[in-house]
Amino acid sequence: DIMRELEGISDYVILDGPPMLISSDSLSLAQCVDAVVLASMLGKETAAEALQVRQLIVRAEIAALGIVICDAKPQTHDGYHYYYRPNADEEARVRQDS
């Protein structure tokens, strides 16, 4: 079995499978591994679909480590910026002493 062979030569084996709700192969594959990490495109899946995947995983007793959200865009915060100055406390003390 290829999985046993890979386990013998690797610390981690990462497999990429088809979407859970589209292919029954994904559930079979998920039952052959120690745990799964789910991936979802931001805004593509509905809450009902997410619940359906959760129910499949729970019923099949599959360990889920978490979820990766794909295609998320960084937010911009116009007008607000935070600057870290590692010596800010020292600079304030020197100004007070002057």
Side-chain angles (χ1 to χ4, degrees):
D1 179 42
I2 185 107
M3 291 296 290
R4 300 286 178 245
E5 186 177 328
L6 290 172
E7 286 174 352
I9 61 172
S10 303
D11 291 332
Y12 298 97
V13 178
I14 299 174
L15 304 173
D16 184 19
M20 283 282 217
L21 297 179
I22 293 177
S23 172
S24 61
D25 291 342
S26 58
L27 190 58
S28 298
L29 182 61
Q31 292 171 322
C32 295
V33 298
D34 295 328
V36 298
V37 175
L38 301 167
S40 177
M41 296 289 284
L42 185 63
K44 185 174 180 185
E45 283 76 27
T46 65
E49 290 170 328
L51 183 58
Q52 192 176 357
V53 169
R54 182 179 182 277
Q55 290 169 342
L56 283 171
I57 289 171
V58 169
R59 255 188 304 216
E61 298 180 352
I62 296 168
L65 299 178
I67 186 166
V68 175
I69 303 297
C70 304
D71 205 28
K73 306 288 188 244
Q75 293 181 345
T76 59
H77 300 284
D78 294 334
Y80 176 79
H81 300 281
Y82 175 79
Y83 297 100
Y84 173 72
R85 293 189 342 229
N87 297 322
D89 291 337
E90 179 65 22
E91 289 173 13
R93 189 179 56 75
V94 169
R95 273 183 274 163
Q96 288 176 348
D97 292 342
S98 302

